[in-house]
Amino acid sequence: MLLDTPSLYFRAFYGVPESLTAPDGTPVNAVRGLLDFTARLVTDHRPTHLVACLDADWRPAFRVAAFPQYKAHRVAEDGREQVPAGLLAQIPVIEQVLDAFGIACCGVPGYEADDVIGTLCARARMPVDVVTGDRDLLQLVDDTRGVRLLYTARGVGRHEVIDDAELIRRYGVPGRAYADFALLRGDPSDGLPGVPGVGEKTAASLLSRYGSLEGLLAALDDPASGLGPNLRRKLEAARPYLDTVSPVVRVARDAPVPADLDARLPREPRHPERLAELAERWALSGPVNRLAKALAAG
């Protein structure tokens, strides 16, 4: 089980009352929510391995170089990501608590959590559940390799299991074509405009016909490919975008994730005394106990 940790702690921050605070008044709603989310997921799905994947870089240079507008709408005046102060203070606490439990945490300089997840999926020799509320990671779905998404857009307690059949039902494309589909359609959350005049149905139809973005661009270069003149004009006008932005939407499968990452599910806390100290300092006894119970039963 691979956790898109930023996706989950953002959801917890906005979904759990900020009135939940530590004795010093620091909000701990995101910490509490993430721990309870993790306990619920472990209880429901019983993974043998668990990794909390982190953003070491929320806006990697290689993506900005390909497309300067990438996530530009989320850049604060100081150049960092716009993150509420109440959440920002909780991120170190989240990492400390997970480490005390012995849950593997992994972030790689220059890469997003998505890229850590993509790389671990590529390396996996077992079925993988990716937990996220981010549609970008739908591109990792692969029935042949046993990779599916536990999609939390409607809440962790009501997460949806997404496999290739479900993707085809929803969007008309399997996981292997989803990145190309998103590139054509656009994704406002990442500042990707898509191809003007090409919506979901047209994007799915093009990929169904030509197989991939590479196949579509080859058809664009072939006057006898059967592309209608109106659609051909739209794609030609968007050719610079299509040629350069592909690295932005594709999750890396080769990020330098440590090969010795110990992802085995910890049955008991690695640092029990440290965990007890953190639970007392941050008023986390309830969620810490619930996650400890879930891990022990896992």
Side-chain angles (χ1 to χ4, degrees):
M1 177 175 284
L2 303 177
L3 304 180
D4 180 0
T5 313
S7 171
L8 291 173
Y9 63 57
F10 267 95
R11 172 168 290 279
F13 179 76
Y14 288 109
V16 178
E18 201 170 353
S19 57
L20 293 172
T21 61
D24 67 358
T26 303
V28 290
N29 55 328
V31 189
R32 294 179 66 95
L34 177 68
L35 295 178
D36 279 336
F37 290 168
T38 305
R40 173 71 179 268
L41 291 161
V42 169
T43 298
D44 288 352
H45 294 280
R46 301 296 181 196
T48 58
H49 296 70
L50 178 67
V51 181
C53 302
L54 304 168
D55 279 339
D57 190 339
W58 72 281
R59 194 170 179 250
F62 72 91
R63 291 196 167 99
V64 176
F67 189 63
Q69 296 94 326
Y70 179 63
K71 293 185 178 179
H73 58 298
R74 290 158 57 182
V75 178
E77 290 184 3
D78 61 3
R80 294 186 293 182
E81 183 181 15
Q82 293 179 354
V83 178
L87 172 56
L88 198 61
Q90 297 182 62
I91 296 173
V93 180
I94 288 169
E95 295 178 5
Q96 291 165 20
V97 172
L98 293 177
D99 179 70
F101 265 113
I103 294 171
C105 296
C106 186
V108 177
Y111 292 88
E112 299 177 60
D114 290 10
D115 302 309
V116 176
I117 292 170
T119 299
L120 290 173
C121 282
R123 293 181 185 175
R125 298 295 179 265
M126 64 184 76
V128 179
D129 281 343
V130 176
V131 183
T132 185
D134 186 348
R135 290 193 301 179
D136 290 351
L137 292 177
L138 291 169
Q139 65 187 273
L140 298 176
V141 170
D142 186 343
D143 284 0
T144 62
R145 301 193 67 249
V147 179
R148 62 184 190 172
L149 246 66
L150 306 184
Y151 189 52
T152 62
R154 296 197 301 168
V156 172
R158 296 189 298 158
H159 67 264
E160 304 165 273
V161 178
I162 309 292
D163 57 11
D164 272 324
E166 179 62 16
L167 269 181
I168 292 169
R169 187 189 71 80
R170 292 187 182 200
Y171 300 113
V173 297
R176 65 179 179 276
Y178 187 83
D180 292 340
F181 173 78
L183 184 65
L184 292 166
R185 177 203 60 196
D187 189 341
S189 67
D190 286 337
L192 299 176
V195 177
V198 173
E200 289 193 352
K201 290 184 179 179
T202 302
S205 175
L206 288 169
L207 292 171
S208 177
R209 182 173 181 181
Y210 297 107
S212 65
L213 179 63
E214 183 180 4
L216 176 59
L217 294 178
L220 194 57
D221 293 332
D222 179 4
S225 64
L227 277 172
N230 187 40
L231 190 53
R232 183 178 289 276
R233 282 193 298 271
K234 292 176 181 177
L235 293 170
E236 286 286 6
R239 185 68 180 258
Y241 162 78
L242 295 173
D243 284 341
T244 60
V245 182
S246 184
V248 175
V249 299
R250 296 189 194 287
V251 171
R253 313 294 178 102
D254 58 354
V257 174
D260 60 351
L261 187 68
D262 184 2
R264 291 172 296 178
L265 192 76
R267 305 298 182 180
E268 56 186 31
R270 177 186 294 152
H271 305 297
E273 292 183 2
R274 175 62 173 154
L275 184 60
E277 291 171 359
L278 290 166
E280 181 176 359
R281 177 180 177 184
W282 300 108
L284 299 172
S285 295
V288 162
N289 289 337
R290 287 189 286 273
L291 180 53
K293 182 178 179 181
L295 292 171

